[in-house]
Amino acid sequence: MDLALLRTFVTVHRAGSFTRAAALLGLSQPAVTSQIRTLERQLGRPLFLRQARGVTPTTIGDELAHKAAPHLDALVEITETGLDDESSLRTLHLAGPPEFTAERALPALTELTGEDGQGFALRASFGNAEETLEGLAAGHHDLAICTARPRGALLTASTLCDEEHVLVAAPGWAGQLGSEEAAESVPADKRAPAFENIPVIEVHESLPFVSRYWASVFDSRPAAPGTVVVPDLRAVLACAVAGAGLAVLPRYLCAPALERGDVVALHEPAVPPLRTYFLVVRTGTLAMPHIARAHEWLLRAAADWC
């Protein structure tokens, strides 16, 4: 079987579209379509179901991708690394959410970079869960950190850690709410309205962090719209410290500010809301030493993050 046909097939399977696969491969769409048809004729079975938007793999297509993709990835790795230049470093491509990747993953992985015979070069990119998993499936990344567990056999996920969310604001806002004892004396289902007069700082107009907190802790929706919306949790924290309003933040991110008294926890529920992070690879790529080492290193480091 022609390896070029298999490479095109795996790229289409990962991209979910002949058009996107053609762009990734540097081929025309008719060329990609022709190669897939050739492979289907050789196998005597259809590999994809054509739809209005993209393609969906058949059962045979999924099975072939599951078997072939890891070996093709290994061949690409050998080609990119080279057989003669033993001194060259392999490059690990990591993707994940900007704050968690910057604050947790990258500091841990930089210990593995360098020319010690086992180290690797490191490249990182940031994105949301959907973007990150699409990039991983398409072969742009080696490791992905995300808050969504992928479906299907093409990607393999390991639970990395849970992050606790905390409702915080500058001390002045806590003073306006009254003493902690007074707040705790109010029934849980009545506490949410006490916060409704405080401006909200969020990463998106949909208030993803605040809405999740309200649903988990107060069994309700936040009434106040976002007053300050910035697309980075570190900027959210900076605005909260400056007194712009309340925010829901991961404890790892706001712990130093809490210790310094720059912000205070407005509420301490008995069961705090949690969000789970997953460490994801393409199935079979843990056979590559640099990916396996980084994967194991992050899982061990995450034991101290929970």
Side-chain angles (χ1 to χ4, degrees), residues 124-213:
S125 59
F126 300 144
N128 60 35
E130 182 179 1
E131 295 167 342
T132 298
L133 291 178
E134 285 183 355
L136 178 65
H140 301 315
H141 317 309
D142 300 314
L143 282 176
I145 298 171
C146 65
T147 55
R149 183 186 289 274
R151 297 179 178 179
L154 193 62
L155 301 178
T156 301
S158 302
T159 300
L160 187 60
C161 66
D162 293 325
E163 76 175 11
E164 177 188 343
H165 287 178
V166 189
L167 179 62
V168 302
W173 288 110
Q176 293 187 31
L177 291 174
S179 67
E180 180 179 345
E181 291 78 12
E184 290 300 324
S185 67
V186 179
D189 60 350
K190 301 297 183 183
R191 287 180 196 146
F195 303 125
E196 301 298 357
N197 294 326
I198 304 179
V200 173
I201 314 167
E202 258 286 9
V203 295
H204 192 270
E205 297 287 353
S206 62
L207 310 184
F209 284 84
V210 172
S211 295
R212 190 182 301 114
Y213 190 97

Side-chain angles (χ1 to χ4, degrees), residues 266-282:
L266 297 180
H267 185 52
E268 294 282 3
V271 181
L274 300 176
R275 184 169 66 164
T276 301
Y277 282 97
F278 299 97
L279 185 58
V280 191
V281 297
R282 289 188 303 282

Side-chain angles (χ1 to χ4, degrees), residues 62-269:
D62 269 334
E63 290 179 359
L64 179 60
H66 182 67
K67 293 178 180 178
H71 301 290
L72 285 171
D73 287 334
L75 288 173
V76 170
E77 177 72 11
I78 292 172
T79 302
E80 291 180 349
T81 303
L83 297 176
D84 299 323
D85 187 4
E86 296 182 356
S87 64
S88 63
L89 288 174
R90 293 188 175 188
T91 300
L92 180 82
H93 295 272
L94 173 72
E99 306 88 358
F100 187 88
T101 305
E103 300 289 329
R104 291 296 205 193
L106 288 177
L109 285 177
T110 51
E111 298 182 39
L112 298 182
T113 60
E115 300 184 26
D116 62 352
Q118 294 182 324
F120 48 75
L122 180 60
R123 301 290 184 270
S125 59
F126 300 144
N128 60 35
E130 182 179 1
E131 295 167 342
T132 298
L133 291 178
E134 285 183 355
L136 178 65
H140 301 315
H141 317 309
D142 300 314
L143 282 176
I145 298 171
C146 65
T147 55
R149 183 186 289 274
R151 297 179 178 179
L154 193 62
L155 301 178
T156 301
S158 302
T159 300
L160 187 60
C161 66
D162 293 325
E163 76 175 11
E164 177 188 343
H165 287 178
V166 189
L167 179 62
V168 302
W173 288 110
Q176 293 187 31
L177 291 174
S179 67
E180 180 179 345
E181 291 78 12
E184 290 300 324
S185 67
V186 179
D189 60 350
K190 301 297 183 183
R191 287 180 196 146
F195 303 125
E196 301 298 357
N197 294 326
I198 304 179
V200 173
I201 314 167
E202 258 286 9
V203 295
H204 192 270
E205 297 287 353
S206 62
L207 310 184
F209 284 84
V210 172
S211 295
R212 190 182 301 114
Y213 190 97
W214 253 242
S216 175
V217 176
F218 304 124
D219 194 23
S220 66
R221 287 181 165 184
T227 301
V228 178
V229 177
V230 287
D232 191 294
L233 289 173
R234 291 162 294 191
V236 170
L237 174 58
C239 291
V241 170
L246 66 78
V248 173
L249 292 167
R251 185 173 288 278
Y252 79 84
L253 189 64
C254 63
L258 286 168
E259 292 176 4
R260 293 191 303 266
D262 295 337
V263 293
V264 296
L266 297 180
H267 185 52
E268 294 282 3

